Structures are given as C-alpha cells and as structure tokens.
Amino acid sequence: MSNEHKVYDRLIVRWDTWSKQAQRPNEKGGFQYFRIKKPLTRKDIDESLLGITKTIGVYTVKPVDNIVVNPTIDVDNHDGKTIVIDDVKKIYHALKVAGMYPYVEASAGELCDGAHVGVICKPIQAQIAKAAIKAVLDSIEMKHEVNPKQDTVAEGGYGNLVKLPFQFNNRTGKRSQIINPETWRPMERPDAVQYMLDLPETEFKDAEISDACLTIKPQDVIKMIGIDALLSNKRMKPCVVKAYIDKWVLHGIGQEGHDFRYIIATELLSWNATDAEIHEFFSVQADYSINTVRDQLKQIRGRKYSPSGCNKIQEKCPSLV
C-alpha cells in the first residue's frame, strides 16, 4: 500500500484527527461520519484500503493558518436528477482552461452516482483556492459545492471533511475510483495511483489567478473541450495532425521521436494552444507523460523555439514524415 500512502500524502493537510463513516444508515437513510480524536495512521489507511469496515474522511483545512492542499468540487446525484457525467466533463475542462491540473474521482463507485473533481495544489490559503475554483464554476454557470466550505478554521475547530479516494462507500456498497479523463472510464488501481502521483501541483497565485478565471466565458470552455477544433485549421501541418489521429508513439524510437515531440509542441504553441490542449494532444499516445510534456514546454518557452518548416521537419525526422 506504499504508493497509496504517497497519494494520500499529497491529499491530506491534517493528520491529527479524522472521521470514520458509519456502516449503518441513520433514521434519514444517511451514512454519517464520526470524528476520531486521534491521529490518522498508516495502519488506519491500510485497513481502509484492504477492507470495508473503515471508510476515512479527512478535514480539508489546517486550522489557524487555514492551508489547503486538495480543494474539491462535489457533484452529487443524491436526487437521481443531476447529469453527473456532463457536468463533470465541463467542470474538468474549465479548470484546465484556467491553468489547473484537476482529477476526477467517482466518489460513490460509478461516475453516474456522484463525483469529486479535485485540484492537488501547493499549500495555499483556503480563501484563495476557493475563490479561484468558484470563479471557474461561475464562468460555466454551475453551482456545485466547493470544499472546503470554510475560508478559515479557528484553533480547536474542524470545518468540513471529504472522503478520500479509493475508499469504500457505505451508501452504494462500492469503492471510489479515479476516472481516466480521456475515456471517462475508471482506471485500474495501479494506473490510478500513478496518475495521481504524476499530476502536477496547481499553483494558485492570490488574486491573480482569480482574476484570470473570471475572464473565462462558457464559449471558451466549449471550444477547449477538444483539441480537434485547433487541429481542424487547414494551415496546421499535416504531419502534426496525423501524429494525433494515429496516436504516434514517439518515445523510445531515438532522436527522431524526441525531435518530433518538440516540433509538435512548438507548432501548437504557435497557434496559441493552451498547455491543457497540448497535454490533451499528447495524452492520446501510449507513452504520454505529464511531467515530460510539462518539462518540454518549459524548455521551449525558455529557449524561445520557433516552429519548424516542412523541409526542416523532413530533414530531422525522415522516417516519421
């Protein structure tokens, strides 16, 4: 369970106390959480992951300094009316447009039963993270609950809690799953764990990111939901489009594959593609790595690379193009 522990290390800001979900419903049919007045241990985590008698919820704000590391959006379907998958897709892509690195958890076992859309972030005040995320929701005219609910938690306080990923849900009798945002299907546990470990930390920058989020319009989100619109530009280089359509694997084939990755990313940047769109482009390939793409984009910008002409591409990558 060591890798799951590493995921939880990224998601938990408060270890001194936690809550356990009741295994039996109350008189209203709900499954309450009861606070455990002792630290959360590795043993507790292992027991929750290996069995179904311990379901862990953690408090999302560190008291006094009011730090969060994993704000989430709760997309409930308790009334059976919310179109969860459509809402989640729109929220996920809107957060990416705003420069965040979200993940999607089918919190009740299946995506149609409810979801958490989380943002693992560098430690930041709850008020700042909430303002940025709420601005994104406002931009797409959605009103789902943002956790934490509180901006501040005083010493001795607790605020609200959120059930951890991979935990058993007593209401549905299913274990939560991480969703692949390309297929919108659950990932196998090892893949899900690695995905959660590879996600970059979103960096909220005080009011700056909130102001940027406020400029997002619903039509911008709709445009961003696929990179297909960008690639439909008739002046886009055919080899770049074909690499996406045919899902070319470029790592492990030598210098040509390495060079062509840079050619693709530089070309997309020249057409004002967002980082999220470039990640979406490469994510269809079997060798996609969030960290590799992020590092390459940083290098391209740092060295101010310019797009390559067709002759240059044929010269550098003859066996590919």
Side-chain angles (χ1 to χ4, degrees):
M1 294 292 149
S2 60
N3 287 335
E4 282 89 343
H5 291 168
K6 292 177 183 177
V7 172
Y8 284 175
D9 286 341
R10 305 191 74 193
L11 302 178
I12 300 174
V13 74
R14 187 170 183 182
W15 293 85
D16 64 310
T17 185
W18 54 285
S19 280
K20 179 182 176 181
Q21 188 183 45
Q23 291 181 263
R24 296 175 182 270
N26 58 24
E27 62 277 5
K28 295 181 180 179
F31 289 81
Q32 292 177 277
Y33 280 86
F34 297 92
R35 188 166 64 85
I36 306 298
K37 299 179 181 180
K38 60 182 181 180
L40 178 62
T41 67
R42 297 302 201 221
K43 180 181 178 183
D44 293 320
I45 290 172
D46 286 345
E47 288 173 353
S48 73
L49 293 170
L50 294 171
I52 62 173
T53 60
K54 183 178 286 187
T55 296
I56 295 173
V58 294
Y59 295 95
T60 56
V61 181
K62 187 178 179 182
V64 183
D65 58 10
N66 302 307
I67 293 297
V68 297
V69 295
N70 181 43
T72 61
I73 299 168
D74 192 5
V75 186
D76 278 331
N77 194 22
H78 291 166
D79 59 6
K81 297 177 182 178
T82 303
I83 306 174
V84 171
I85 297 176
D86 288 350
D87 281 13
V88 168
K89 285 182 179 181
K90 197 168 185 180
I91 291 168
Y92 174 83
H93 289 297
L95 292 173
K96 289 181 71 175
V97 168
M100 303 180 202
Y101 299 97
Y103 67 88
V104 175
E105 175 203 0
S107 54
E110 302 292 337
L111 193 52
C112 60
D113 293 327
H116 291 157
V117 184
V119 179
I120 299 173
C121 65
K122 292 184 181 297
I124 189 72
Q125 278 69 39
Q127 185 176 14
I128 296 171
K130 281 180 60 184
I133 291 173
K134 283 187 173 180
V136 173
L137 287 177
D138 288 344
S139 76
I140 54 177
E141 301 175 348
M142 289 189 175
K143 300 295 181 182
H144 294 291
E145 181 179 274
V146 177
N147 291 306
K149 298 176 184 177
Q150 301 78 20
D151 289 339
T152 61
V153 174
E155 185 173 0
Y158 301 97
N160 70 295
L161 58 88
V162 172
K163 181 169 64 65
L164 289 170
F166 310 128
Q167 295 289 306
F168 184 77
N169 187 304
N170 286 292
R171 176 175 65 86
T172 62
K174 301 173 186 175
R175 196 172 286 277
S176 77
Q177 304 184 84
I178 299 300
I179 299 298
N180 183 332
E182 303 305 322
T183 64
W184 295 102
R185 299 295 303 161
M187 297 182 186
E188 295 293 331
R189 175 70 70 82
D191 295 333
V193 168
Q194 192 59 52
Y195 175 83
M196 294 292 282
L197 291 176
D198 287 343
L199 271 178
E201 289 181 330
T202 294
E203 186 171 2
F204 294 107
K205 296 181 179 179
D206 211 337
E208 178 184 333
I209 192 165
S210 297
D211 291 342
C213 291
L214 287 169
T215 66
I216 302 169
K217 298 179 177 62
Q219 58 265 34
D220 296 328
V221 177
I222 293 168
K223 289 178 185 175
M224 185 270 153
I225 285 180
I227 193 163
D228 303 88
L230 188 67
L231 296 180
S232 67
N233 187 324
K234 292 182 179 179
R235 291 189 292 164
M236 183 72 69
K237 290 183 174 65
C239 58
V240 172
V241 178
K242 188 170 179 59
Y244 177 76
I245 293 173
D246 292 350
K247 302 179 182 180
W248 289 2
V249 175
L250 300 173
H251 269 174
I253 64 170
Q255 189 64 36
E256 283 191 40
H258 174 80
D259 290 343
F260 199 60
R261 274 186 170 273
Y262 278 91
I263 288 167
I264 290 170
T266 305
E267 175 77 6
L268 294 175
L269 285 172
S270 74
W271 290 101
N272 299 315
T274 65
D275 284 17
E277 287 171 325
I278 295 171
H279 276 276
E280 186 177 355
F281 181 104
F282 285 111
S283 68
V284 303
Q285 299 168 351
D287 59 343
Y288 168 61
S289 163
I290 290 174
N291 292 332
T292 297
V293 174
R294 187 178 68 243
D295 292 344
Q296 288 177 334
L297 289 174
K298 183 177 179 180
Q299 189 173 33
I300 289 168
R301 290 190 174 104
R303 298 184 180 182
K304 297 181 179 179
Y305 287 172
S306 299
S308 299
C310 291
N311 289 338
K312 186 69 174 178
I313 294 174
Q314 288 179 328
E315 177 186 323
K316 295 186 75 172
C317 309
S319 65
L320 287 172
V321 301

